[in-house]
Amino acid sequence: MPQARLTVHTDAPGPAIDPHIFGHFSEHLGRCIYDGLWVGEQSPVPNTRGWRNDLVAALKQIRVPNLRWPGGCFADDYHWREGIGPRAKRPRRINAHWGGVVDDNAVGTHEFLDLCEQIGCEPYIAGNVGSGSPRELREWVEYCNAASGTLADERVANGRRDPWKVRLWGIGNETWGCGGNMTAEYYAGQFRQFATYTRDFPNAPLYRVASGAANDDYKWTEVMMTLGYRGPLNPAPLMQGLSLHYYTVPGSWEQKHAASPFDRDGWRAVMSLGWKMDELVREHSAVMDRHDPKRATALVVDEWGSWYAVEPGTNPGFLHQQQTVRDAVLAALHLNIFINHCERVRIANLAQTVNVLQAVALTEEGGGRMVLTPTWHVFALYAAHQGAKRLRVESNAANIKHDGREYPAVSATASLAADGAVTVTLCNTDSEHSADVELSLPGRAITAPTAQVIAAKTLTTCNTFDQPRAVTAQPLAGVVTKGAAVQLSLPPGSVAALRFAS
Ligand code: AHR
């Protein structure tokens, strides 16, 4: 008797799943950029113009669609002119937000955009509103995107002939907090002013993302959609995206739980806090729907992920944490939520790419080895959804209750690719019991799918430099095809992907 019956409706494909839902975020924070992605050209670690080759390859493999930079909180303290021109002449600045370390500006606009070209992803630049000016941001856009004029000449002199045509621009970050401690009403005016001066250059229209709410601050979204959405005389929206930040923080902000070990309640706390994203996306979307019923503007979840206590012995300002299969399930839950709400959620960014928070990779200090985290393996399994059409999944899976909240024991998404293949991704959020699933695809002649699963014998196991493949995707055994249905068993606390060829 299956615990969950799932029906995938292949006859009525929904909207395309924007690949940008699978975006990432790299801040000048801890060892994300420096001694993470960036090792410098002189490093013994194999690199291309300073960027680690193994990391670039790992990011290409999961088809990273966009990378957000330079922050985070760092963005509103960052002055782009300090990061161009000869490196030896660039100023050395204190990174006031993250550990008070010196940032020598070795990575600036040219280097970051080179990284994006190496990965094959779109850059998503977060502009400085908190301590910058409309003119500074306007000139950054012009430096990147103009084909002629003094700023284009300067770019060419610095080694880049063609404009990069950067499309995605954040207009400030967390302006309610580290980005200026502004009220929503004040920032709405700031946004309109900055958005006006970040200009479109020929063949380079901008996608402006306003700094949005934290967590369940629906009033912020309401104010932005009322006062920040458009100018008084101009009916066209000024914002193409409005952001939302939400982290899964077990414990309290002051005393976060460790990434590992944890007990049953620790597992459940992460699942139930993570599932809150579903409510947040629905409620913020409902506010946006009232002002923008045609969904011209996207909800951009440009910071999400687990946030634990830092690993013992590491700099508290560096936010370095380990991961287990619990994070893989958390990542799958989030991606399922974004896919299920992809009419409105069209960009999202996991925090952060390497060595910081829910990273997809960890590197040894000072160079050396790299390890892929369980979360990387989830992004690898989910890459098949990029650009495919979402399929509705009906489920009778029970909910698990924890601490006054509920979340589904089995969460699922499905999509139909251009080549006719159907991908179904599932996660079992129950850490104690396997989930017997019957999955039917009525009206479709199915053959045995290829099936992979991310699971761990011991849920608290981490991938380490000595044991890099403790938690990876493996073939899922025991998938039985019966007519238009398959039966399978998901191990406790696991993520699976099934692919039905056309
Ligand atoms: O991702 C770490 C920090 O979390 C970011 O800098 C900030 O935007 C958020 O508070």
Side-chain angles (χ1 to χ4, degrees):
M1 182 68 177
Q3 288 152 265
R5 280 208 164 87
L6 306 182
T7 307
V8 179
H9 294 277
T10 53
D11 50 340
I17 300 164
D18 197 316
H20 287 292
I21 282 176
F22 303 90
H24 292 263
F25 168 37
S26 291
E27 181 167 10
H28 287 228
L29 192 177
R31 296 177 47 248
C32 183
I33 295 287
Y34 300 113
D35 195 27
L37 285 155
W38 176 263
V39 288
E41 285 152 339
Q42 308 309 325
S43 170
V45 178
N47 70 83
T48 302
R49 294 180 295 280
W51 297 107
R52 265 185 91 129
N53 292 344
D54 52 1
L55 276 174
V56 169
L59 298 176
K60 275 169 91 109
Q61 218 180 319
I62 56 172
R63 291 168 43 198
V64 167
N66 74 76
L67 193 57
R68 181 171 179 253
W69 172 87
C73 294
F74 182 83
D76 286 280
D77 246 342
Y78 181 68
H79 299 284
W80 68 273
R81 283 208 152 275
E82 300 186 342
I84 58 169
R87 280 199 205 115
K89 290 196 175 153
R90 297 183 191 174
R92 302 169 74 241
R93 297 284 183 219
I94 302 288
N95 186 333
H97 289 286
W98 306 117
V101 293
V102 171
D103 184 325
D104 65 4
N105 276 300
V107 171
T109 303
H110 288 252
E111 290 80 9
F112 171 67
L113 294 173
D114 179 33
L115 170 65
C116 292
E117 287 181 343
Q118 289 189 34
I119 297 169
C121 72
E122 255 195 87
Y124 172 13
I125 294 184
N128 179 347
V129 168
S131 70
S133 66
R135 176 178 175 170
E136 182 184 16
L137 188 52
R138 182 213 184 284
E139 291 186 348
W140 199 4
V141 173
E142 183 169 340
Y143 184 85
C144 292
N145 290 359
S148 58
T150 304
L151 285 166
D153 293 346
E154 191 179 356
R155 181 191 68 233
V156 175
N158 284 330
R160 171 74 185 200
R161 194 194 56 192
D162 297 330
W164 286 285
K165 298 185 184 164
V166 177
R167 183 177 71 106
L168 304 172
W169 290 84
I171 311 295
N173 168 75
E174 297 195 352
T175 46
W176 37 261
C178 64
N181 280 310
M182 301 174 196
T183 62
E185 289 78 4
Y186 179 76
Y187 171 64
Q190 291 277 291
F191 169 75
R192 277 162 43 177
Q193 187 183 356
F194 275 72
T196 304
Y197 290 97
T198 45
R199 302 219 186 268
D200 293 351
F201 286 89
N203 304 317
L206 303 191
Y207 189 104
R208 298 168 188 82
V209 181
S211 159
N215 312 329
D216 58 0
D217 185 355
Y218 303 117
K219 181 176 168 265
W220 185 281
T221 300
E222 180 68 42
V223 172
M224 285 308 295
M225 294 304 290
T226 316
L227 300 180
Y229 198 57
R230 49 173 70 89
L233 300 176
N234 189 347
L238 290 164
M239 71 177 78
Q240 286 68 51
L242 177 61
S243 79
L244 165 66
H245 288 183
Y246 174 68
Y247 285 95
T248 299
V249 187
S252 65
W253 191 249
E254 294 72 30
Q255 282 204 305
K256 301 177 190 78
H257 292 172
S260 185
F262 48 82
D263 58 13
R264 188 194 79 149
D265 279 359
W267 173 284
R268 290 187 166 199
V270 165
M271 294 302 125
S272 64
L273 289 166
W275 186 249
K276 188 169 172 68
M277 181 62 92
D278 187 66
E279 171 192 319
L280 296 176
V281 165
R282 277 190 285 106
E283 296 295 322
H284 284 289
S285 298
V287 177
M288 294 176 80
D289 286 350
R290 286 204 295 279
H291 300 272
D292 171 29
K294 292 195 173 147
R295 303 189 179 115
T297 295
L299 182 61
V300 173
V301 190
D302 54 15
E303 290 189 29
W304 67 270
S306 55
W307 193 324
Y308 302 117
V310 299
E311 285 300 304
T314 63
N315 185 328
F318 282 14
L319 312 186
H320 181 72
Q321 65 187 40
Q322 249 297 1
Q323 278 186 42
T324 63
V325 74
R326 182 173 64 163
D327 299 277
V329 178
L330 182 72
L333 262 187
H334 277 78
L335 296 174
N336 287 356
I337 293 166
F338 301 150
I339 290 169
N340 285 333
H341 295 282
C342 71
E343 292 86 350
R344 183 65 84 175
V345 180
R346 299 198 286 270
I347 303 181
N349 300 78
L350 174 68
Q352 298 196 6
T353 319
V354 185
N355 294 330
V356 171
L357 299 176
Q358 194 174 347
V360 292
L362 304 174
T363 62
E364 262 181 321
E365 253 183 281
R369 293 175 290 179
M370 176 199 77
V371 66
L372 300 172
T373 65
T375 300
W376 181 91
H377 292 281
V378 174
F379 275 79
L381 291 188
Y382 274 67
H385 286 312
Q386 291 196 18
K389 292 209 167 126
R390 189 194 61 207
L391 299 172
R392 194 163 65 82
V393 182
E394 222 175 291
S395 164
N396 73 351
N399 278 355
I400 294 177
K401 294 190 177 126
H402 178 76
D403 215 9
R405 290 183 294 266
E406 290 190 28
Y407 56 93
V410 175
S411 155
T413 42
S415 69
L416 176 68
D419 67 359
V422 170
T423 297
V424 181
T425 43
L426 304 152
C427 60
N428 178 9
T429 64
D430 188 331
S431 60
E432 293 164 301
H433 306 101
S434 48
D436 295 332
V437 173
E438 187 174 274
L439 182 72
S440 56
L441 292 81
R444 188 175 168 105
I446 56 171
T447 46
T450 54
Q452 287 186 287
V453 67
I454 302 167
K457 279 199 189 83
T458 311
L459 298 177
T460 51
T461 304
C462 305
N463 288 346
T464 62
F465 300 117
D466 295 325
Q467 268 206 308
R469 295 189 56 79
V471 187
T472 60
Q474 302 289 336
L476 174 64
V479 180
V480 179
T481 307
K482 279 194 174 170
V486 292
Q487 288 178 347
L488 56 108
S489 181
L490 297 172
S494 63
V495 179
L498 279 71
R499 182 176 184 277
F500 298 88
S502 54

